[in-house]
Amino acid sequence: MTSRPLAAEPAARTRVEAPDAPRRRRSVSGRPNVILTIALLACVAYFLLPLVWLVVASTKSNADLFSTFGLWFADDVNLVENLRDVFTFQNGIFAAWLRNTVAYAVISAVGAAGLATAAGYAFAKLHFPGGNLLFSIILGAIMVPTTALAIPTYLLFSKVELTDTPLAVILPSLVSPFGVYLMRVYADGAVPDSLLEAARVDGASELRIFTSVVLRLLAPGFVTVLLFALVATWNNYFLPLIMLNSPEYFPLTVGLAQWQATSAAGSGSQALFSMVITGSLVSVIPLVVAFLFLQRYWQSGLATGGVKQ
Amino acid sequence: MSTHTAAPAALTDEAPARRPHGSLRRRQVIAAYCFVAPFFLVFLAMIVVPLFYSGYLSLFREQLVGGTVFVGMANYVRAIGDPSFIGGVLRMARFLLIQVPIMLGLALVFALALDSGRLRLQRFIRLGIFIPYAVPGVIAALMWGYLYGPDFGPFAQVARALGLPRPPFLSNDWMLGSIMNIVTWGFVGYNMIILYAALRSVPTELYEAARVDGAGELRVAWSIKIPAVRPALLLTTIFSVIGTFQLFNEPNLLRNLAPNVIGVGYTPNLYAYNLAFINQEINYAAAIAFLLGFVIMVVSYVVQLSAQRRERRS
């Protein structure tokens, strides 16, 4: 497989490279440049310091937050108390938000990636009348702003009494036009036509070919779309904000924003500050960890989307 | 099932796909529709139907007396003359013209630096710049809101320690810049990875020759690498256009901290939201959202067109 040009698609980069095909990597051109490295490290500081602040601030009591310097720890570490506050405030609603976020994100992402994989494969490998037209329509939808959709979707949902239910957040998140685009490009490079033909000659049905041959080849692309759909739903704020009224259905973003509004208004107890900060840290950690562990997927995925046009 | 029908095709070694058997071909087409159908159904229900419904709604007006009446383009005429809407669009245009070049410029510089192979700690640098993308926009806005804040924000603390006036991040004059900073912080890394991936797929031979001819790293970057990643730059620009005009999270969160600075029409999206859910002017909000979509399409199209022009010229 490595000998065919298809395998050299950027999408297929995650696979082991053939020794006889030295596509990658140019020999490192020149010695490391110290000045360049220092300049870049200074930039990295800009990107990381706010997160450092978040970590530091979440170890402080509310009083220390105001009385000690933001980027260094206070004398007593208050992280455990803060976490306890976060998870017990309002009868532990934060835990429900965390659960909701995970549930919405996982269900939407698996659904979106599944739908996009089947469709993207069909667009790439099975030629059918109307295919190009359908694909252009789907591509055009990438440009439709979410607001133009969210408000009418809200009205439609309220007619069928779907608002203020988890489905109101999950259903719109199942569509990922960009995911279809990505999977089409990916399938183009990762599924050799000869393999499909061989399976067909053997008498396998299209569905069987898809489930037993194609899915395995598309797995890295699937994970990429899954990851991006996961992030999109995890980070979504606008949609759940308008769809949901009951705090027990909120995801983290909407819940924390509400706590922040309360603490900014100064009506609640001031302890909300350290709770909002600690809660923010808790909601950031899962995605950061996911990105660190799934590096090769999102990197090759972004490559697929960006390189091909 | 129908192995026998396919068997003759297998005898010829080369590309039996070119002349597929009729029934086989038909089965393929049916299968293709079945694979596309689940996505397309959800697509229809969640994108196409709401879009048309929004267009339909925008042609009506709810009146105190007489209920909902058809008003044709009246909502659009009103929107075009509405200083809140136009002000928001212009503010986003300014945002676009200032923030997007900065963000994409930084992303490109970082990507080129990573691609030059002259960095120590490559991996750490790449991840460090990318990680903010994993932070939800709401959380980023919330966090920066505190960082900007007058009480326990580190900027204010440092200024206080030095006896300087604290920087007014959340004031009328600074707010847009402060929001630009939050967006830049969150998305430079994402764009950097796209551009970096594009750079890595540029065939090395293209600039080995230039190097042999004595071209320096900067010259290679300018004349060979940047033109080579133009498609990726176009993609990131268009995504940035779409994202900018839809700005909502950051202003909506910072509004709690500076209610007098960020009005209901600070961004078009915020305006549509407030119209629909606070004022209950659903029909007008639909028209605003529709117009905003139109603005995004036009600007994206202009960006694409000017990129193609440049391509042709070079």
Side-chain angles (χ1 to χ4, degrees), chain A residues 28-62:
Chain A
V28 176
S29 49
R31 268 168 281 117
N33 185 325
V34 178
I35 296 170
L36 191 64
T37 304
I38 291 173
L40 267 271
L41 283 177
C43 296
V44 171
Y46 161 74
F47 291 99
L48 290 187
L49 276 181
L51 293 171
V52 171
W53 176 86
L54 191 66
V55 173
V56 170
S58 63
T59 67
K60 288 180 182 173
S61 70
N62 213 51

PDB file of all heavy atoms in Angstrom, chain A residues 28-62:
ATOM      1  N   VAL A  28      17.337  18.278   8.964  1.00  0.00           N
ATOM      2  CA  VAL A  28      17.258  19.548   9.679  1.00  0.00           C
ATOM      3  C   VAL A  28      18.284  20.507   9.083  1.00  0.00           C
ATOM      4  O   VAL A  28      19.475  20.222   9.039  1.00  0.00           O
ATOM      5  CB  VAL A  28      17.513  19.357  11.183  1.00  0.00           C
ATOM      6  CG1 VAL A  28      17.531  20.693  11.881  1.00  0.00           C
ATOM      7  CG2 VAL A  28      16.440  18.463  11.773  1.00  0.00           C
ATOM      8  N   SER A  29      17.757  21.611   8.597  1.00  0.00           N
ATOM      9  CA  SER A  29      18.608  22.511   7.836  1.00  0.00           C
ATOM     10  C   SER A  29      19.280  23.497   8.769  1.00  0.00           C
ATOM     11  O   SER A  29      18.701  24.498   9.150  1.00  0.00           O
ATOM     12  CB  SER A  29      17.764  23.252   6.814  1.00  0.00           C
ATOM     13  OG  SER A  29      16.636  23.778   7.475  1.00  0.00           O
ATOM     14  N   GLY A  30      20.455  23.195   9.143  1.00  0.00           N
ATOM     15  CA  GLY A  30      21.201  24.146   9.951  1.00  0.00           C
ATOM     16  C   GLY A  30      21.058  23.881  11.432  1.00  0.00           C
ATOM     17  O   GLY A  30      20.204  23.120  11.875  1.00  0.00           O
ATOM     18  N   ARG A  31      21.900  24.537  12.195  1.00  0.00           N
ATOM     19  CA  ARG A  31      21.913  24.329  13.634  1.00  0.00           C
ATOM     20  C   ARG A  31      20.740  25.050  14.291  1.00  0.00           C
ATOM     21  O   ARG A  31      20.210  26.011  13.730  1.00  0.00           O
ATOM     22  CB  ARG A  31      23.237  24.862  14.199  1.00  0.00           C
ATOM     23  CG  ARG A  31      24.312  23.797  14.282  1.00  0.00           C
ATOM     24  CD  ARG A  31      25.659  24.425  14.552  1.00  0.00           C
ATOM     25  NE  ARG A  31      26.252  24.986  13.358  1.00  0.00           N
ATOM     26  CZ  ARG A  31      26.525  26.273  13.181  1.00  0.00           C
ATOM     27  NH1 ARG A  31      26.243  27.137  14.114  1.00  0.00           N
ATOM     28  NH2 ARG A  31      27.096  26.697  12.072  1.00  0.00           N
ATOM     29  N   PRO A  32      20.335  24.602  15.476  1.00  0.00           N
ATOM     30  CA  PRO A  32      19.284  25.323  16.200  1.00  0.00           C
ATOM     31  C   PRO A  32      19.694  26.765  16.427  1.00  0.00           C
ATOM     32  O   PRO A  32      20.844  27.047  16.761  1.00  0.00           O
ATOM     33  CB  PRO A  32      19.183  24.560  17.523  1.00  0.00           C
ATOM     34  CG  PRO A  32      19.687  23.205  17.216  1.00  0.00           C
ATOM     35  CD  PRO A  32      20.719  23.367  16.151  1.00  0.00           C
ATOM     36  N   ASN A  33      18.740  27.637  16.220  1.00  0.00           N
ATOM     37  CA  ASN A  33      19.013  29.051  16.370  1.00  0.00           C
ATOM     38  C   ASN A  33      18.547  29.499  17.756  1.00  0.00           C
ATOM     39  O   ASN A  33      17.354  29.432  18.073  1.00  0.00           O
ATOM     40  CB  ASN A  33      18.259  29.806  15.278  1.00  0.00           C
ATOM     41  CG  ASN A  33      18.588  31.277  15.281  1.00  0.00           C
ATOM     42  OD1 ASN A  33      18.798  31.865  16.337  1.00  0.00           O
ATOM     43  ND2 ASN A  33      18.637  31.858  14.096  1.00  0.00           N
ATOM     44  N   VAL A  34      19.486  29.940  18.577  1.00  0.00           N
ATOM     45  CA  VAL A  34      19.167  30.243  19.974  1.00  0.00           C
ATOM     46  C   VAL A  34      18.239  31.453  20.074  1.00  0.00           C
ATOM     47  O   VAL A  34      17.262  31.439  20.833  1.00  0.00           O
ATOM     48  CB  VAL A  34      20.460  30.507  20.778  1.00  0.00           C
ATOM     49  CG1 VAL A  34      20.106  30.869  22.213  1.00  0.00           C
ATOM     50  CG2 VAL A  34      21.345  29.271  20.754  1.00  0.00           C
ATOM     51  N   ILE A  35      18.509  32.467  19.280  1.00  0.00           N
ATOM     52  CA  ILE A  35      17.686  33.682  19.371  1.00  0.00           C
ATOM     53  C   ILE A  35      16.251  33.389  18.972  1.00  0.00           C
ATOM     54  O   ILE A  35      15.299  33.804  19.634  1.00  0.00           O
ATOM     55  CB  ILE A  35      18.285  34.798  18.490  1.00  0.00           C
ATOM     56  CG1 ILE A  35      19.666  35.176  19.022  1.00  0.00           C
ATOM     57  CG2 ILE A  35      17.378  36.012  18.456  1.00  0.00           C
ATOM     58  CD1 ILE A  35      20.452  36.073  18.128  1.00  0.00           C
ATOM     59  N   LEU A  36      16.101  32.627  17.892  1.00  0.00           N
ATOM     60  CA  LEU A  36      14.759  32.255  17.441  1.00  0.00           C
ATOM     61  C   LEU A  36      14.036  31.466  18.527  1.00  0.00           C
ATOM     62  O   LEU A  36      12.862  31.702  18.818  1.00  0.00           O
ATOM     63  CB  LEU A  36      14.869  31.428  16.160  1.00  0.00           C
ATOM     64  CG  LEU A  36      13.575  31.162  15.404  1.00  0.00           C
ATOM     65  CD1 LEU A  36      12.983  32.452  14.888  1.00  0.00           C
ATOM     66  CD2 LEU A  36      13.810  30.190  14.263  1.00  0.00           C
ATOM     67  N   THR A  37      14.770  30.545  19.136  1.00  0.00           N
ATOM     68  CA  THR A  37      14.164  29.730  20.190  1.00  0.00           C
ATOM     69  C   THR A  37      13.709  30.595  21.355  1.00  0.00           C
ATOM     70  O   THR A  37      12.582  30.434  21.854  1.00  0.00           O
ATOM     71  CB  THR A  37      15.177  28.673  20.687  1.00  0.00           C
ATOM     72  OG1 THR A  37      15.615  27.904  19.573  1.00  0.00           O
ATOM     73  CG2 THR A  37      14.534  27.771  21.711  1.00  0.00           C
ATOM     74  N   ILE A  38      14.549  31.534  21.762  1.00  0.00           N
ATOM     75  CA  ILE A  38      14.180  32.392  22.884  1.00  0.00           C
ATOM     76  C   ILE A  38      12.962  33.242  22.532  1.00  0.00           C
ATOM     77  O   ILE A  38      12.030  33.386  23.334  1.00  0.00           O
ATOM     78  CB  ILE A  38      15.378  33.281  23.301  1.00  0.00           C
ATOM     79  CG1 ILE A  38      16.456  32.397  23.933  1.00  0.00           C
ATOM     80  CG2 ILE A  38      14.932  34.361  24.285  1.00  0.00           C
ATOM     81  CD1 ILE A  38      17.741  33.128  24.230  1.00  0.00           C
ATOM     82  N   ALA A  39      12.947  33.767  21.313  1.00  0.00           N
ATOM     83  CA  ALA A  39      11.809  34.581  20.892  1.00  0.00           C
ATOM     84  C   ALA A  39      10.517  33.772  20.938  1.00  0.00           C
ATOM     85  O   ALA A  39       9.488  34.224  21.432  1.00  0.00           O
ATOM     86  CB  ALA A  39      12.041  35.112  19.470  1.00  0.00           C
ATOM     87  N   LEU A  40      10.595  32.544  20.453  1.00  0.00           N
ATOM     88  CA  LEU A  40       9.398  31.706  20.443  1.00  0.00           C
ATOM     89  C   LEU A  40       8.975  31.324  21.862  1.00  0.00           C
ATOM     90  O   LEU A  40       7.790  31.262  22.165  1.00  0.00           O
ATOM     91  CB  LEU A  40       9.660  30.439  19.613  1.00  0.00           C
ATOM     92  CG  LEU A  40       9.278  30.448  18.133  1.00  0.00           C
ATOM     93  CD1 LEU A  40       7.851  29.991  17.927  1.00  0.00           C
ATOM     94  CD2 LEU A  40       9.471  31.805  17.485  1.00  0.00           C
ATOM     95  N   LEU A  41       9.957  31.091  22.718  1.00  0.00           N
ATOM     96  CA  LEU A  41       9.613  30.747  24.105  1.00  0.00           C
ATOM     97  C   LEU A  41       8.912  31.912  24.782  1.00  0.00           C
ATOM     98  O   LEU A  41       7.979  31.711  25.572  1.00  0.00           O
ATOM     99  CB  LEU A  41      10.868  30.343  24.881  1.00  0.00           C
ATOM    100  CG  LEU A  41      11.387  28.932  24.574  1.00  0.00           C
ATOM    101  CD1 LEU A  41      12.679  28.666  25.334  1.00  0.00           C
ATOM    102  CD2 LEU A  41      10.348  27.878  24.920  1.00  0.00           C
ATOM    103  N   ALA A  42       9.331  33.131  24.448  1.00  0.00           N
ATOM    104  CA  ALA A  42       8.652  34.307  25.009  1.00  0.00           C
ATOM    105  C   ALA A  42       7.198  34.324  24.562  1.00  0.00           C
ATOM    106  O   ALA A  42       6.296  34.640  25.348  1.00  0.00           O
ATOM    107  CB  ALA A  42       9.367  35.580  24.561  1.00  0.00           C
ATOM    108  N   CYS A  43       6.972  33.944  23.307  1.00  0.00           N
ATOM    109  CA  CYS A  43       5.594  33.892  22.821  1.00  0.00           C
ATOM    110  C   CYS A  43       4.809  32.794  23.526  1.00  0.00           C
ATOM    111  O   CYS A  43       3.643  32.966  23.873  1.00  0.00           O
ATOM    112  CB  CYS A  43       5.566  33.657  21.315  1.00  0.00           C
ATOM    113  SG  CYS A  43       6.296  35.011  20.395  1.00  0.00           S
ATOM    114  N   VAL A  44       5.461  31.655  23.743  1.00  0.00           N
ATOM    115  CA  VAL A  44       4.791  30.562  24.443  1.00  0.00           C
ATOM    116  C   VAL A  44       4.344  31.031  25.829  1.00  0.00           C
ATOM    117  O   VAL A  44       3.269  30.670  26.308  1.00  0.00           O
ATOM    118  CB  VAL A  44       5.712  29.329  24.540  1.00  0.00           C
ATOM    119  CG1 VAL A  44       5.104  28.284  25.452  1.00  0.00           C
ATOM    120  CG2 VAL A  44       5.952  28.735  23.160  1.00  0.00           C
ATOM    121  N   ALA A  45       5.166  31.878  26.456  1.00  0.00           N
ATOM    122  CA  ALA A  45       4.800  32.400  27.774  1.00  0.00           C
ATOM    123  C   ALA A  45       3.465  33.129  27.712  1.00  0.00           C
ATOM    124  O   ALA A  45       2.615  32.991  28.599  1.00  0.00           O
ATOM    125  CB  ALA A  45       5.891  33.330  28.289  1.00  0.00           C
ATOM    126  N   TYR A  46       3.254  33.898  26.635  1.00  0.00           N
ATOM    127  CA  TYR A  46       1.983  34.614  26.475  1.00  0.00           C
ATOM    128  C   TYR A  46       0.815  33.633  26.438  1.00  0.00           C
ATOM    129  O   TYR A  46      -0.252  33.901  26.985  1.00  0.00           O
ATOM    130  CB  TYR A  46       2.046  35.460  25.209  1.00  0.00           C
ATOM    131  CG  TYR A  46       0.709  35.899  24.645  1.00  0.00           C
ATOM    132  CD1 TYR A  46      -0.036  36.906  25.263  1.00  0.00           C
ATOM    133  CD2 TYR A  46       0.196  35.325  23.495  1.00  0.00           C
ATOM    134  CE1 TYR A  46      -1.248  37.315  24.738  1.00  0.00           C
ATOM    135  CE2 TYR A  46      -1.019  35.723  22.964  1.00  0.00           C
ATOM    136  CZ  TYR A  46      -1.740  36.718  23.596  1.00  0.00           C
ATOM    137  OH  TYR A  46      -2.943  37.106  23.066  1.00  0.00           O
ATOM    138  N   PHE A  47       1.038  32.494  25.773  1.00  0.00           N
ATOM    139  CA  PHE A  47      -0.059  31.535  25.648  1.00  0.00           C
ATOM    140  C   PHE A  47      -0.272  30.708  26.910  1.00  0.00           C
ATOM    141  O   PHE A  47      -1.377  30.265  27.183  1.00  0.00           O
ATOM    142  CB  PHE A  47       0.185  30.603  24.449  1.00  0.00           C
ATOM    143  CG  PHE A  47       0.080  31.311  23.129  1.00  0.00           C
ATOM    144  CD1 PHE A  47       1.213  31.736  22.460  1.00  0.00           C
ATOM    145  CD2 PHE A  47      -1.161  31.599  22.586  1.00  0.00           C
ATOM    146  CE1 PHE A  47       1.106  32.413  21.252  1.00  0.00           C
ATOM    147  CE2 PHE A  47      -1.273  32.279  21.384  1.00  0.00           C
ATOM    148  CZ  PHE A  47      -0.136  32.688  20.718  1.00  0.00           C
ATOM    149  N   LEU A  48       0.801  30.503  27.663  1.00  0.00           N
ATOM    150  CA  LEU A  48       0.662  29.626  28.827  1.00  0.00           C
ATOM    151  C   LEU A  48       0.391  30.361  30.137  1.00  0.00           C
ATOM    152  O   LEU A  48      -0.247  29.824  31.024  1.00  0.00           O
ATOM    153  CB  LEU A  48       1.915  28.745  28.969  1.00  0.00           C
ATOM    154  CG  LEU A  48       2.078  27.655  27.900  1.00  0.00           C
ATOM    155  CD1 LEU A  48       3.239  26.750  28.236  1.00  0.00           C
ATOM    156  CD2 LEU A  48       0.809  26.824  27.753  1.00  0.00           C
ATOM    157  N   LEU A  49       0.889  31.598  30.254  1.00  0.00           N
ATOM    158  CA  LEU A  49       0.751  32.293  31.540  1.00  0.00           C
ATOM    159  C   LEU A  49      -0.694  32.432  32.023  1.00  0.00           C
ATOM    160  O   LEU A  49      -0.960  32.237  33.212  1.00  0.00           O
ATOM    161  CB  LEU A  49       1.435  33.657  31.492  1.00  0.00           C
ATOM    162  CG  LEU A  49       2.944  33.605  31.769  1.00  0.00           C
ATOM    163  CD1 LEU A  49       3.551  35.010  31.724  1.00  0.00           C
ATOM    164  CD2 LEU A  49       3.243  32.953  33.115  1.00  0.00           C
ATOM    165  N   PRO A  50      -1.643  32.753  31.133  1.00  0.00           N
ATOM    166  CA  PRO A  50      -3.023  32.818  31.636  1.00  0.00           C
ATOM    167  C   PRO A  50      -3.464  31.496  32.262  1.00  0.00           C
ATOM    168  O   PRO A  50      -4.180  31.491  33.262  1.00  0.00           O
ATOM    169  CB  PRO A  50      -3.838  33.131  30.384  1.00  0.00           C
ATOM    170  CG  PRO A  50      -2.892  33.853  29.502  1.00  0.00           C
ATOM    171  CD  PRO A  50      -1.555  33.216  29.739  1.00  0.00           C
ATOM    172  N   LEU A  51      -3.017  30.384  31.668  1.00  0.00           N
ATOM    173  CA  LEU A  51      -3.393  29.087  32.230  1.00  0.00           C
ATOM    174  C   LEU A  51      -2.664  28.840  33.548  1.00  0.00           C
ATOM    175  O   LEU A  51      -3.226  28.254  34.471  1.00  0.00           O
ATOM    176  CB  LEU A  51      -3.108  27.975  31.220  1.00  0.00           C
ATOM    177  CG  LEU A  51      -4.004  28.033  29.977  1.00  0.00           C
ATOM    178  CD1 LEU A  51      -3.548  27.047  28.919  1.00  0.00           C
ATOM    179  CD2 LEU A  51      -5.454  27.759  30.355  1.00  0.00           C
ATOM    180  N   VAL A  52      -1.415  29.299  33.610  1.00  0.00           N
ATOM    181  CA  VAL A  52      -0.683  29.196  34.881  1.00  0.00           C
ATOM    182  C   VAL A  52      -1.432  29.978  35.952  1.00  0.00           C
ATOM    183  O   VAL A  52      -1.627  29.512  37.077  1.00  0.00           O
ATOM    184  CB  VAL A  52       0.756  29.729  34.717  1.00  0.00           C
ATOM    185  CG1 VAL A  52       1.445  29.838  36.071  1.00  0.00           C
ATOM    186  CG2 VAL A  52       1.552  28.841  33.778  1.00  0.00           C
ATOM    187  N   TRP A  53      -1.870  31.172  35.557  1.00  0.00           N
ATOM    188  CA  TRP A  53      -2.629  31.995  36.506  1.00  0.00           C
ATOM    189  C   TRP A  53      -3.864  31.235  36.988  1.00  0.00           C
ATOM    190  O   TRP A  53      -4.192  31.236  38.174  1.00  0.00           O
ATOM    191  CB  TRP A  53      -3.049  33.319  35.851  1.00  0.00           C
ATOM    192  CG  TRP A  53      -3.911  34.154  36.745  1.00  0.00           C
ATOM    193  CD1 TRP A  53      -3.483  35.038  37.694  1.00  0.00           C
ATOM    194  CD2 TRP A  53      -5.346  34.158  36.810  1.00  0.00           C
ATOM    195  NE1 TRP A  53      -4.564  35.592  38.338  1.00  0.00           N
ATOM    196  CE2 TRP A  53      -5.721  35.059  37.812  1.00  0.00           C
ATOM    197  CE3 TRP A  53      -6.340  33.468  36.109  1.00  0.00           C
ATOM    198  CZ2 TRP A  53      -7.044  35.314  38.132  1.00  0.00           C
ATOM    199  CZ3 TRP A  53      -7.666  33.709  36.436  1.00  0.00           C
ATOM    200  CH2 TRP A  53      -8.011  34.622  37.433  1.00  0.00           C
ATOM    201  N   LEU A  54      -4.543  30.558  36.047  1.00  0.00           N
ATOM    202  CA  LEU A  54      -5.756  29.824  36.403  1.00  0.00           C
ATOM    203  C   LEU A  54      -5.441  28.743  37.429  1.00  0.00           C
ATOM    204  O   LEU A  54      -6.163  28.567  38.413  1.00  0.00           O
ATOM    205  CB  LEU A  54      -6.373  29.203  35.142  1.00  0.00           C
ATOM    206  CG  LEU A  54      -7.777  28.623  35.279  1.00  0.00           C
ATOM    207  CD1 LEU A  54      -8.784  29.716  35.570  1.00  0.00           C
ATOM    208  CD2 LEU A  54      -8.166  27.856  34.031  1.00  0.00           C
ATOM    209  N   VAL A  55      -4.347  28.029  37.195  1.00  0.00           N
ATOM    210  CA  VAL A  55      -3.958  26.968  38.121  1.00  0.00           C
ATOM    211  C   VAL A  55      -3.628  27.564  39.485  1.00  0.00           C
ATOM    212  O   VAL A  55      -4.115  27.104  40.527  1.00  0.00           O
ATOM    213  CB  VAL A  55      -2.748  26.181  37.571  1.00  0.00           C
ATOM    214  CG1 VAL A  55      -2.241  25.193  38.608  1.00  0.00           C
ATOM    215  CG2 VAL A  55      -3.138  25.448  36.296  1.00  0.00           C
ATOM    216  N   VAL A  56      -2.816  28.629  39.476  1.00  0.00           N
ATOM    217  CA  VAL A  56      -2.415  29.249  40.734  1.00  0.00           C
ATOM    218  C   VAL A  56      -3.632  29.795  41.474  1.00  0.00           C
ATOM    219  O   VAL A  56      -3.810  29.565  42.675  1.00  0.00           O
ATOM    220  CB  VAL A  56      -1.388  30.374  40.476  1.00  0.00           C
ATOM    221  CG1 VAL A  56      -1.150  31.189  41.733  1.00  0.00           C
ATOM    222  CG2 VAL A  56      -0.081  29.789  39.954  1.00  0.00           C
ATOM    223  N   ALA A  57      -4.490  30.494  40.730  1.00  0.00           N
ATOM    224  CA  ALA A  57      -5.639  31.136  41.378  1.00  0.00           C
ATOM    225  C   ALA A  57      -6.588  30.109  41.974  1.00  0.00           C
ATOM    226  O   ALA A  57      -7.246  30.381  42.979  1.00  0.00           O
ATOM    227  CB  ALA A  57      -6.383  32.015  40.369  1.00  0.00           C
ATOM    228  N   SER A  58      -6.641  28.921  41.365  1.00  0.00           N
ATOM    229  CA  SER A  58      -7.588  27.946  41.892  1.00  0.00           C
ATOM    230  C   SER A  58      -7.075  27.300  43.175  1.00  0.00           C
ATOM    231  O   SER A  58      -7.802  26.537  43.805  1.00  0.00           O
ATOM    232  CB  SER A  58      -7.892  26.875  40.840  1.00  0.00           C
ATOM    233  OG  SER A  58      -6.719  26.175  40.540  1.00  0.00           O
ATOM    234  N   THR A  59      -5.832  27.605  43.554  1.00  0.00           N
ATOM    235  CA  THR A  59      -5.347  27.083  44.832  1.00  0.00           C
ATOM    236  C   THR A  59      -5.526  28.096  45.959  1.00  0.00           C
ATOM    237  O   THR A  59      -5.076  27.864  47.073  1.00  0.00           O
ATOM    238  CB  THR A  59      -3.851  26.737  44.763  1.00  0.00           C
ATOM    239  OG1 THR A  59      -3.117  27.950  44.611  1.00  0.00           O
ATOM    240  CG2 THR A  59      -3.543  25.814  43.602  1.00  0.00           C
ATOM    241  N   LYS A  60      -6.142  29.230  45.655  1.00  0.00           N
ATOM    242  CA  LYS A  60      -6.207  30.299  46.658  1.00  0.00           C
ATOM    243  C   LYS A  60      -7.596  30.446  47.244  1.00  0.00           C
ATOM    244  O   LYS A  60      -8.595  30.233  46.552  1.00  0.00           O
ATOM    245  CB  LYS A  60      -5.811  31.629  46.009  1.00  0.00           C
ATOM    246  CG  LYS A  60      -4.342  31.734  45.698  1.00  0.00           C
ATOM    247  CD  LYS A  60      -4.028  33.057  45.071  1.00  0.00           C
ATOM    248  CE  LYS A  60      -2.549  33.121  44.733  1.00  0.00           C
ATOM    249  NZ  LYS A  60      -2.256  34.340  43.961  1.00  0.00           N
ATOM    250  N   SER A  61      -7.611  30.861  48.484  1.00  0.00           N
ATOM    251  CA  SER A  61      -8.886  31.217  49.079  1.00  0.00           C
ATOM    252  C   SER A  61      -9.318  32.552  48.492  1.00  0.00           C
ATOM    253  O   SER A  61      -8.520  33.268  47.880  1.00  0.00           O
ATOM    254  CB  SER A  61      -8.741  31.337  50.591  1.00  0.00           C
ATOM    255  OG  SER A  61      -7.960  32.481  50.879  1.00  0.00           O
ATOM    256  N   ASN A  62     -10.556  32.876  48.665  1.00  0.00           N
ATOM    257  CA  ASN A  62     -11.059  34.105  48.101  1.00  0.00           C
ATOM    258  C   ASN A  62     -10.305  35.333  48.622  1.00  0.00           C
ATOM    259  O   ASN A  62     -10.010  36.262  47.867  1.00  0.00           O
ATOM    260  CB  ASN A  62     -12.547  34.211  48.420  1.00  0.00           C
ATOM    261  CG  ASN A  62     -13.282  34.904  47.311  1.00  0.00           C
ATOM    262  OD1 ASN A  62     -13.143  34.520  46.145  1.00  0.00           O
ATOM    263  ND2 ASN A  62     -14.007  35.924  47.642  1.00  0.00           N
TER     264      ASN A  62
END
